[in-house]
Amino acid sequence: QVQLVESGGGLVQAGDSLRLSCAASGRTFRSYAMAWFRQAPGKEREFVAVITWSGGYILYANSVKGRFTISRDNAKNTVYLQMNSLKPEDTAVYYCAADAGEFKGTRKEYEYWGQGTQVTVSS
């Protein structure tokens, strides 16, 4: 069982930066691929970024590539999402997800999900 708790969201202006954190419980954190998804009002949840357990493979959605950076610290059981050059269209609830099975990549089939943290970017 893994519990995920996101933090770091807030209200910022376009062009600003935020760093989201996702703290995971459980001693097997290092075996989980970790991902970030987001969901804007009235839209489906969409993939943002994923990092494998070793950090050796990272994938980003085209919409955030070059602006967002995913990283993880297995010693702290935490995954991060550094978000730079934020745009109003980045406004959404951001969710952390974890899975130890077959690599899910961009699919939403992750086993564990956090409750989400709100990011609002004003123009």
Side-chain angles (χ1 to χ4, degrees), residues 3-7 20-24 29 33-38 45 78-80 93-98 110 112-117:
Q3 291 185 326
L4 305 173
V5 179
E6 302 96 335
S7 62
L20 305 183
S21 299
C22 173
F29 173 78
M34 302 296 298
W36 288 96
F37 287 76
R38 66 186 182 185
R45 191 170 299 189
T78 302
V79 63
Y80 305 97
V93 177
Y94 283 71
Y95 297 91
C96 176
Y110 286 75
Y112 300 104
W113 292 84
Q115 294 300 306
T117 185

Side-chain angles (χ1 to χ4, degrees), residues 38 47-49 58-69 84-85 87 90:
R38 66 186 182 185
F47 167 79
V48 175
I58 290 173
L59 182 66
Y60 295 101
N62 287 335
S63 58
V64 306
K65 198 174 296 183
R67 299 188 298 122
F68 290 11
T69 302
N84 299 329
S85 303
K87 304 175 181 179
D90 294 318

Side-chain angles (χ1 to χ4, degrees), residues 24-43:
S25 64
R27 292 174 290 180
T28 58
F29 173 78
R30 63 181 67 248
S31 66
Y32 286 77
M34 302 296 298
W36 288 96
F37 287 76
R38 66 186 182 185
Q39 188 166 16
K43 295 188 176 181

Side-chain angles (χ1 to χ4, degrees), residues 93-106:
V93 177
Y94 283 71
Y95 297 91
C96 176
D99 199 285
E102 174 192 1
F103 184 62
K104 302 301 190 294
T106 64

